[in-house]
Amino acid sequence: MKKIVLIRHGQSEYNLKNLFTGWYDCPLSENGFKEAKKAGKLLKEAGFLFDAAYTSVLKRAIDTLNVILNELGQDWVPVEKTWRLNEKHYGALQGLNKKQTAEKYGEEKVLLWRRGFDVRPAPLDKDDDRSPYRDRRYDDIPRQYLPLTESLKDAVERCLPYWQEVIFPSLKNKNQILVAAHGNSLRGIIKYLKNISDKDIASFNLPTAVPYVFEFDEDLNCVKDYFLGDPEEIKELMRQVAEQGKAS
C-alpha cells in the first residue's frame, strides 16, 4: 500500500496571535515546535518510512518538516521546496487580527474571506513591503504568477498542477511521501482527492500538525484516508480553527 501524508505546519506566531498570515513568513511558536515533534512521534509509532518530502518556501512549513524528519531519524530524505505549496495569499488582510476584523466587517464577511471558494480579499499594492514582488525568494518567478491576493480557487489553481505533475506521479516509484504545507494549500489538494464541492470545502477545517494519511493501491487509486491521533482531540482542534474568524 502506497501512502501520502499531508500535514499542516505547527502553530505559528501569527496563529498564536490569531492574525491573518498568508505569505508572511512568520516562524513557528514554541507550541508549534512541540506540535511538530508530536506529529513526528505519531508517524514514528505508525512505522512510516518516507522516500521523499515536499514543502513550501515559508519558514513555518519548512521548520515543521525538519522537526518531523528529525524525530523520525529520516533527515536524509530528499526534500523539494516550492512556492506553489505556499498558503493562500490573504492580500491586505495579512497581519490583521481575525477577531477584530470580524468585529469591524462582520463574521459572515470574514468567513467568506477565510473560506469562500472564489472570494478574494483586497489585494496588496505591488510596492507594499509585504508584496512577493519585493521578496528575493520569488525573483525567478514571472511576475504574472505572483499573487497580491487569492481566493481558495486561485490557490487551488496554483497548487493542483504541482500535485498532479510532480508529487502524485512520484508515487509510482515511491511508497511513502510526506507533504508539509499550509491550511489552504492542503485543503485544495484534499478537495481534489475527496471530490469535495466548492460549497462544502468552506466547512472543512484542517488543524495544525496533525498527520492526514491517504492510502493508495498499486494502481494509485485512493482507498482510505484518516487522521493520526486521538479522534476527540482532533475534533476539538478542528473546532478551534473554525472559531478563529468569529467576533466573540
Side-chain angles (χ1 to χ4, degrees):
M1 192 68 66
K2 294 175 179 284
K3 300 177 182 179
I4 295 181
V5 177
L6 306 179
I7 186 161
R8 182 185 174 192
H9 61 80
Q11 182 193 62
S12 72
E13 290 289 350
Y14 265 32
N15 292 146
L16 179 62
K17 297 173 183 176
N18 200 25
L19 307 180
F20 287 99
T21 311
W23 283 31
Y24 179 73
D25 200 20
C26 65
L28 291 177
S29 67
E30 181 179 349
N31 184 56
F33 280 102
K34 290 178 181 178
E35 288 180 334
K37 189 168 185 178
K38 179 180 178 181
K41 288 182 178 179
L42 284 171
L43 290 164
K44 187 174 184 177
E45 290 169 1
F48 278 85
L49 297 170
F50 292 106
D51 303 300
Y54 300 86
T55 188
S56 74
V57 296
L58 298 172
K59 181 175 178 58
R60 58 193 186 275
I62 295 168
D63 284 350
T64 297
L65 178 61
N66 289 340
V67 170
I68 289 172
L69 292 178
N70 182 66
E71 191 66 29
L72 287 164
Q74 297 173 33
D75 309 73
W76 53 268
V77 168
V79 175
E80 186 168 315
K81 303 181 182 76
T82 174
W83 66 279
R84 291 191 176 276
L85 288 176
N86 278 14
E87 176 61 294
K88 181 180 87 171
H89 198 298
Y90 276 103
L93 290 177
Q94 291 185 170
L96 298 183
N97 182 277
K98 294 175 185 176
K99 180 176 182 293
Q100 293 172 358
T101 305
E103 290 170 349
K104 183 175 181 179
Y105 295 102
E107 291 181 5
E108 185 176 347
K109 188 68 174 177
V110 170
L111 180 61
L112 284 174
W113 284 332
R114 293 183 67 223
R115 295 290 184 256
F117 185 67
D118 56 2
V119 178
R120 297 181 182 124
L124 289 175
D125 186 90
K126 65 180 181 180
D127 295 321
D128 190 296
D129 286 342
R130 298 169 291 172
S131 166
Y133 290 20
R134 297 172 62 87
D135 191 325
R136 66 184 295 266
R137 83 189 79 187
Y138 307 114
D139 283 351
D140 294 334
I141 311 302
R143 289 295 181 257
Q144 67 265 31
Y145 297 132
L146 292 177
L148 296 171
T149 184
E150 285 181 310
S151 64
L152 179 58
K153 181 176 183 289
D154 297 324
V156 171
E157 289 174 353
R158 165 169 54 81
C159 299
L160 203 53
Y162 186 80
W163 169 268
Q164 294 171 324
E165 297 166 13
V166 179
I167 297 176
F168 193 67
S170 71
L171 199 60
K172 293 177 182 177
N173 54 24
K174 294 177 173 57
N175 290 315
Q176 297 185 7
I177 292 171
L178 177 60
V179 181
H182 305 265
N184 283 298
S185 55
L186 292 177
R187 286 199 314 134
I189 292 170
I190 293 163
K191 180 184 189 301
Y192 171 75
L193 286 173
K194 294 178 67 64
N195 197 28
I196 300 173
S197 70
D198 296 353
K199 179 181 178 181
D200 290 343
I201 193 62
S203 59
F204 182 85
N205 294 290
L206 195 62
T208 54
V210 176
Y212 192 6
V213 184
F214 285 81
E215 296 187 356
F216 302 86
D217 62 23
E218 291 303 314
D219 295 320
L220 301 187
N221 298 304
C222 185
V223 296
K224 188 178 182 182
D225 64 276
Y226 53 92
F227 287 101
L228 281 184
D230 178 75
E232 289 304 312
E233 180 182 350
I234 294 169
K235 183 178 179 180
E236 171 59 19
L237 291 172
M238 287 180 163
R239 186 195 67 78
Q240 291 175 17
V241 174
E243 294 289 315
Q244 288 172 359
K246 295 189 176 181
S248 57

